[in-house]
Amino acid sequence: AVVSTQSTGNNSSGNATLSDMTRQAIMDIIGDLERPDGSHDMYFYTSKQSTLLFKSWKIDTDFEFWMAIGGIIVFGLIYEMVKSFRACLIMEAQASAALAENKPILLSDGTDGRRRRGGADDAGAVDCLQHILCTLFYCLEWALFYLLLLVVIGFNVWNLVAALTGLTCGYLMFGKGRVN
């Protein structure tokens, strides 16, 4: 970086002081930082030209804009589908736990406190697999949620409307009977 030798009034000899050089170096660094699309601040805007999630995903044409809007809507649908599927897995796990053969040892009807059925170890393995599957879908649900959140906090109104449309249609399609 080239440092200007113009006087700021503090140095009459015309040489840059260390604080002037530091200030200039900081301004050079800050000036080189570029916003994703180089044009908007932290407020909602309605331009069709924007950047979606990554600097390389620039939306410049109408076709790219409508593809992005469609993708965001589908993304919202997928989020609601995963959320509903995980809720179904949880309800199924709770229902199987409520069956008489899956009750805890203390609630069994055996005189010695043991379950009177074969495959007790298999039931534990199934419970473990159900829990692992629910955990994986929990992780997927939150990953999708945060990616959708990042799309919305790009402050593009059209992306917000697309996300809300996808989530609403997804809940309409997949959310019936879901316990939230």
Side-chain angles (χ1 to χ4, degrees), residues 13-170:
S13 67
N15 294 330
T17 64
L18 183 59
S19 64
D20 290 337
M21 291 174 21
T22 305
R23 184 178 310 121
Q24 183 64 37
I26 291 172
M27 292 308 292
D28 287 343
I29 292 170
I30 292 173
D32 289 341
L33 293 178
E34 185 177 344
R35 292 190 178 136
D37 67 359
S39 65
H40 76 89
D41 286 320
M42 302 293 266
Y43 55 84
F44 284 101
Y45 65 98
T46 58
S47 174
K48 288 184 178 180
Q49 287 145 357
S50 64
T51 302
L52 187 62
L53 292 179
F54 300 104
K55 191 174 184 177
S56 62
W57 289 4
K58 292 192 183 289
I59 300 169
D60 294 323
T61 65
D62 283 345
F63 177 75
E64 291 171 343
F65 171 76
W66 289 111
M67 290 297 291
I69 294 298
I72 294 168
I73 290 172
V74 169
F75 204 74
L77 289 168
I78 291 171
Y79 169 75
E80 284 294 328
M81 181 180 69
V82 167
K83 187 174 181 176
S84 295
F85 185 70
R86 189 176 76 86
C88 289
L89 286 175
I90 290 171
M91 288 190 301
E92 185 177 308
Q94 289 172 344
S96 71
L99 295 174
E101 66 251 345
N102 291 335
K103 292 216 183 269
I105 294 172
L106 295 175
L107 298 177
S108 65
D109 57 354
T111 57
D112 59 354
R114 294 185 189 168
R115 292 182 182 164
R116 297 286 182 192
R117 64 177 177 90
D121 292 335
D122 291 341
V126 169
D127 288 345
C128 183
L129 288 175
Q130 280 180 337
H131 185 67
I132 289 171
L133 190 60
C134 285
T135 302
L136 290 174
F137 273 95
Y138 180 81
C139 180
L140 180 62
E141 177 187 338
W142 279 101
L144 291 172
F145 172 76
Y146 279 119
L147 284 173
L148 199 57
L149 178 72
L150 287 173
V151 167
V152 170
I153 64 171
F155 294 103
N156 188 315
V157 171
W158 302 117
N159 292 350
L160 172 65
V161 170
L164 290 175
T165 301
L167 291 171
T168 303
C169 291

